[in-house]
Amino acid sequence: MDKNMMADLDSLPEAEKLKMAATMEQLQIRDSLRMYNSLVERCFCDCIESFRRKSLDKQEETCVRRCAEKFMKHTMRVGMRFAELNQGAATQD
């Protein structure tokens, strides 16, 4: 957030600050659930081929683990890059 936006938030009444915090929390929860659902859907579609038994076989388990690791690494890298870009934009202001 830039300095002007932070100053605007600081000038809000306490009730509005609480409302904004609740909204931000809801957005974060929604985004977390979207990321989780995306991970489950992608790895399920890529790794699970049949419903022969109620548990995963060794190959499916390995695939799901590798898929989840790659997804998390990618998500973390994107987040780091986004933070770098935001920091660079903030220093230019």
Side-chain angles (χ1 to χ4, degrees), residues 33-65:
L33 289 173
R34 278 187 183 160
M35 185 179 83
Y36 177 77
N37 287 335
S38 177
L39 167 66
V40 169
E41 182 177 355
R42 172 176 284 263
C43 293
F44 181 85
C45 290
D46 287 351
C47 297
I48 310 304
E49 297 175 1
S50 69
F51 295 99
R52 295 183 301 260
R53 56 182 85 90
K54 63 182 177 180
S55 61
L56 299 175
D57 64 25
K58 186 68 175 166
Q59 183 180 1
E60 291 171 333
E61 188 175 334
T62 302
C63 180
V64 168
R65 184 173 289 117

Side-chain angles (χ1 to χ4, degrees), residues 2 83-93:
D2 67 2
E84 290 169 4
L85 292 172
N86 275 343
Q87 185 176 17
T91 57
Q92 291 178 355
D93 291 340

